Amino acid sequence: MDIKEVLKAKIEVVERALDKYMPNEGSYEKVVYESMRYSVFAGGKRLRPILMLAACEFVGGNYEDAIPYACAMEMIHSYSLVHDDLPSMDNDDYRRGKLTNHKVYGEAMAILAGDGLLNYAYELMLKATLEDFNKNKLLASQEIAWSSGASGMIGGQVVDLLSENKKIDKGTLDFIHRKKTGALIRASIRAGAIIGGASESELEDLTKYAENIGLGFQITDDILDIVGDEKKLGKKVGSDIENNKSTYPSLYGMEESIEKVNFLFDESINLLRKYEDKAEFFIELAKYLVKREY
Amino acid sequence: MDIKEVLKAKIEVVERALDKYMPNEGSYEKVVYESMRYSVFAGGKRLRPILMLAACEFVGGNYEDAIPYACAMEMIHSYSLVHDDLPSMDNDDYRRGKLTNHKVYGEAMAILAGDGLLNYAYELMLKATLEDFNKNKLLASQEIAWSSGASGMIGGQVVDLLSENKKIDKGTLDFIHRKKTGALIRASIRAGAIIGGASESELEDLTKYAENIGLGFQITDDILDIVGDEKKLGKKVGSDIENNKSTYPSLYGMEESIEKVNFLFDESINLLRKYEDKAEFFIELAKYLVKREY
């Protein structure tokens, strides 16, 4: 399996679905839809929706059933970036080499476009659940809702915010990592598996896999912010040190951080070995994410 | 019926339910729950949840079935106020005589608390719908979602924002009024009626009633901003003129505005007369809202 090729094909599936589902309409309020689309289509690896579709297939489901939920998850991810980039938050002018939403549309519109994306994600999930009135789809929506809220991603953002310019302990850093990025990755895989009709043990294995790659992915981000190549990453490095931010490398040291990433990914691979061929995509993906750039 | 007493009793039902449903938890992220609760419990008439519960009862349903959805609607209303008050939006320091969320918790936390409230509203609706897996509850959630998004309230806020310091035409003002406040009021009544198992003609009558009082309520707000008593209203008046904002009175004149309000409320009362005693609350409420302050 050439994982890059496979991901490319999967990204295209997601892009097409997003284009289909993202509203492109409006009269007087047209600009808010433009602003919403601007950020959804500002690039990105589409990792969360891809994980959701793959988890659905992994357990024997039809990935098409998961598409609206996968798109909703990506919209939630997009809105969180729009709000995170705001002047009162991270105050970022660029993301993935493109101007951030508020630099193009202004701060007020960026707030409303973010709100609009979050709300639309739920509109989309409710519509899909009504079209096929099925308890698993409601359960999947709930997984996504839990992971996005104050008990999930928003909670992580809050603690990240409170930790700015402050030395934090390992417990706090763990909380931020688990919630801020981990929660959506975990929910993506779980939602896909639930829609696909996963057994309890499949759901458990996939959840552990998701937690491992979620944390591993985040530690890798921290590492790349120190040793990464700006051109390859498409973003500035060194911002964590500049912002005096506590990260995995700053609390545990670089060596232990790299060891931890490797451990997490090895464990996640071993966990799925028993599924043999079926697990190939997830195993290759874990390898790909481990080897990312450094 | 002493409408003020009835409303007081209904407000208490809503307050108790909100207190039950609003999370009051958290470890590292505790402050975001505090901030969310601060704005939900910063006063307010609880008009939207009261309308929802009343509509559910009106059509013969048990209002308790609608409580989680009514609370969700109030959380959505609250989040919209938190974001609306932000410096980059209306930049308000006070609301209902209390400091606005961002004046207490800072701008970044206010954005996240607003996001948290919106997301939590959906968590609550999904949970209630899973507990009683019932298509009407999903349909009601969808009504609420439509009314809150870019095709509803957010669309209204966007056009309101674009209209700042600008002379707008009647069509634009109508759009703002219908969407910015009208949409949630309409959806509150429709969601309650749907949960209660409304017939098609009941739903149609209640929808028209809601549209009328929604628009009437908003025009009354515009009127009160000119002729209202600051003490009674608990807020500054004259801000529309100060902000050079187009309002119903500025486009249609004061006399026509008052006539329009009276027409809308009369029509909404006449519409419900055929329901006789059952409609008493809605009729008294319409009268009460018409006679509001001026």
Side-chain angles (χ1 to χ4, degrees):
Chain A
M1 178 184 280
D2 181 341
I3 185 72
K4 282 192 186 176
E5 283 303 312
V6 174
L7 284 174
K8 220 171 117 183
K10 285 181 188 284
I11 285 175
E12 269 172 37
V13 170
V14 173
E15 296 288 335
R16 270 200 304 277
L18 282 170
D19 189 49
K20 176 181 154 198
Y21 284 118
M22 274 302 299
N24 190 5
E25 57 192 40
S27 54
Y28 299 104
E29 83 287 22
K30 205 170 172 40
V31 65
V32 73
Y33 290 110
E34 278 171 34
S35 168
M36 286 160 70
R37 288 184 76 95
Y38 176 81
S39 286
V40 168
F41 294 109
K45 295 173 292 290
R46 311 303 189 195
L47 181 61
R48 292 153 196 80
I50 288 173
L51 287 171
M52 198 183 301
L53 302 182
C56 183
E57 277 194 310
F58 178 84
V59 301
N62 179 352
Y63 78 89
E64 289 189 2
D65 287 341
I67 280 188
Y69 305 85
C71 289
M73 181 55 102
E74 188 67 6
M75 290 170 199
I76 290 173
H77 175 56
S78 293
Y79 112 78
S80 77
L81 300 181
V82 172
H83 282 188
D84 227 29
D85 288 336
L86 287 167
S88 62
M89 308 271 281
D90 285 354
N91 194 23
D92 281 319
D93 292 353
Y94 289 91
R95 176 175 289 276
R96 301 182 191 122
K98 287 186 74 171
L99 284 170
T100 47
N101 195 294
H102 64 92
K103 294 304 284 183
V104 178
Y105 294 96
E107 211 176 324
M109 192 61 71
I111 294 169
L112 290 169
D115 295 345
L117 281 170
L118 174 57
N119 198 83
Y120 188 72
Y122 287 102
E123 288 182 55
L124 187 54
M125 289 191 277
L126 288 166
K127 182 165 185 279
T129 308
L130 269 161
E131 279 169 6
D132 171 27
F133 191 53
N134 167 322
K135 201 159 191 168
N136 280 344
K137 294 194 167 176
L138 208 51
L139 284 167
S141 307
Q142 192 176 44
E143 284 286 337
I144 293 168
W146 283 336
S147 74
S148 318
S151 60
M153 177 184 68
I154 292 173
Q157 289 173 307
V158 164
V159 179
D160 195 29
L161 186 73
L162 297 172
S163 306
E164 261 175 23
N165 300 311
K166 226 192 250 175
K167 193 139 183 72
I168 58 171
D169 61 20
K170 291 175 177 179
T172 311
L173 183 71
D174 177 62
F175 182 93
I176 296 170
H177 280 353
R178 266 190 307 117
K179 303 280 184 169
K180 196 180 170 185
T181 43
L184 289 200
I185 288 174
R186 184 177 184 275
S188 294
I189 288 189
R190 283 178 62 86
I194 291 168
I195 291 169
S199 71
E200 250 180 67
S201 69
E202 283 172 331
L203 189 58
E204 206 177 290
D205 287 338
L206 284 174
T207 302
K208 183 75 184 143
Y209 170 85
E211 287 169 357
N212 278 14
I213 67 157
L215 180 56
F217 189 77
Q218 188 55 53
I219 300 174
T220 299
D221 256 2
D222 288 354
I223 294 171
L224 287 174
D225 195 68
I226 297 172
V227 303
D229 178 325
E230 290 198 358
K231 269 191 204 136
K232 275 194 205 161
L233 291 169
K235 65 177 177 185
K236 245 181 52 175
V237 302
S239 65
D240 292 339
I241 291 173
E242 201 181 293
N243 297 325
N244 199 19
K245 198 165 175 168
S246 297
T247 64
Y248 220 88
S250 78
L251 291 190
Y252 293 84
M254 184 58 93
E255 200 178 331
E256 200 176 321
S257 299
I258 292 175
E259 266 170 30
K260 177 80 178 177
V261 171
N262 287 329
F263 169 78
L264 288 166
F265 281 95
D266 287 346
E267 193 183 55
S268 66
I269 286 174
N270 289 332
L271 198 66
L272 297 187
R273 282 217 193 282
K274 63 172 174 276
Y275 295 99
E276 298 178 354
D277 289 358
K278 259 198 343 185
E280 193 187 359
F281 171 73
F282 281 124
I283 291 177
E284 290 302 315
L285 182 69
K287 282 185 195 160
Y288 174 70
L289 291 170
V290 157
K291 290 183 190 150
R292 187 154 64 109
E293 311 298 335
Y294 67 87
Chain B
M1 178 185 280
D2 181 342
I3 185 73
K4 281 191 186 177
E5 284 302 313
V6 173
L7 284 173
K8 221 171 118 184
K10 285 182 188 283
I11 285 175
E12 270 173 35
V13 170
V14 173
E15 296 288 335
R16 271 199 304 276
L18 281 170
D19 189 49
K20 178 181 153 198
Y21 284 118
M22 274 303 298
N24 191 4
E25 57 191 43
S27 53
Y28 300 103
E29 82 288 22
K30 205 171 171 40
V31 65
V32 73
Y33 290 111
E34 279 172 34
S35 169
M36 286 159 69
R37 287 184 76 94
Y38 175 82
S39 286
V40 168
F41 294 108
K45 296 174 291 291
R46 311 302 190 194
L47 182 61
R48 290 153 196 81
I50 287 173
L51 288 170
M52 199 184 301
L53 302 182
C56 183
E57 276 194 311
F58 178 85
V59 301
N62 178 353
Y63 78 89
E64 291 189 2
D65 288 341
I67 281 188
Y69 305 85
C71 290
M73 181 57 101
E74 188 67 7
M75 291 171 199
I76 290 172
H77 175 56
S78 293
Y79 114 77
S80 78
L81 300 181
V82 172
H83 282 187
D84 227 28
D85 288 335
L86 286 168
S88 60
M89 308 269 282
D90 285 353
N91 195 20
D92 280 318
D93 292 353
Y94 289 91
R95 177 175 288 277
R96 301 182 191 121
K98 289 185 74 172
L99 284 170
T100 47
N101 194 296
H102 63 92
K103 295 303 285 184
V104 178
Y105 294 95
E107 210 176 323
M109 192 62 71
I111 294 170
L112 290 170
D115 294 344
L117 281 170
L118 174 58
N119 197 82
Y120 188 72
Y122 286 102
E123 287 182 55
L124 187 54
M125 289 190 278
L126 288 167
K127 183 166 183 281
T129 308
L130 269 160
E131 280 168 5
D132 172 27
F133 191 55
N134 167 323
K135 201 160 190 168
N136 280 344
K137 294 193 166 176
L138 208 52
L139 284 166
S141 307
Q142 192 175 45
E143 284 286 338
I144 293 168
W146 281 337
S147 74
S148 318
S151 59
M153 178 184 68
I154 292 173
Q157 290 173 307
V158 164
V159 180
D160 195 29
L161 186 74
L162 297 174
S163 306
E164 262 175 22
N165 300 311
K166 225 192 249 177
K167 192 137 185 74
I168 58 171
D169 61 19
K170 292 175 177 178
T172 311
L173 183 71
D174 177 63
F175 182 93
I176 295 170
H177 281 352
R178 267 191 306 117
K179 303 280 185 169
K180 196 180 171 185
T181 44
L184 289 200
I185 288 173
R186 183 177 185 274
S188 294
I189 288 189
R190 283 178 62 85
I194 291 168
I195 290 169
S199 70
E200 248 180 71
S201 69
E202 284 172 330
L203 189 59
E204 206 177 290
D205 287 338
L206 285 174
T207 302
K208 183 74 185 146
Y209 169 87
E211 288 169 355
N212 278 14
I213 67 158
L215 179 57
F217 189 78
Q218 187 56 52
I219 300 175
T220 299
D221 255 3
D222 288 354
I223 294 172
L224 287 173
D225 196 68
I226 298 171
V227 303
D229 177 325
E230 290 197 358
K231 270 189 201 137
K232 275 193 203 160
L233 290 170
K235 66 176 177 185
K236 245 179 51 170
V237 301
S239 65
D240 291 339
I241 292 173
E242 200 180 295
N243 297 326
N244 199 20
K245 199 165 172 167
S246 295
T247 64
Y248 220 87
S250 79
L251 290 190
Y252 293 86
M254 183 59 93
E255 201 178 331
E256 200 175 323
S257 300
I258 292 174
E259 267 170 30
K260 178 80 178 178
V261 172
N262 287 329
F263 169 79
L264 288 168
F265 281 96
D266 287 348
E267 193 183 54
S268 66
I269 286 172
N270 290 331
L271 197 66
L272 297 187
R273 282 213 194 283
K274 63 171 175 274
Y275 295 99
E276 298 178 358
D277 289 358
K278 257 197 344 184
E280 194 187 359
F281 170 73
F282 281 124
I283 290 178
E284 290 302 316
L285 182 70
K287 283 186 196 160
Y288 174 69
L289 291 170
V290 155
K291 290 183 189 150
R292 189 155 63 109
E293 312 296 336
Y294 67 85

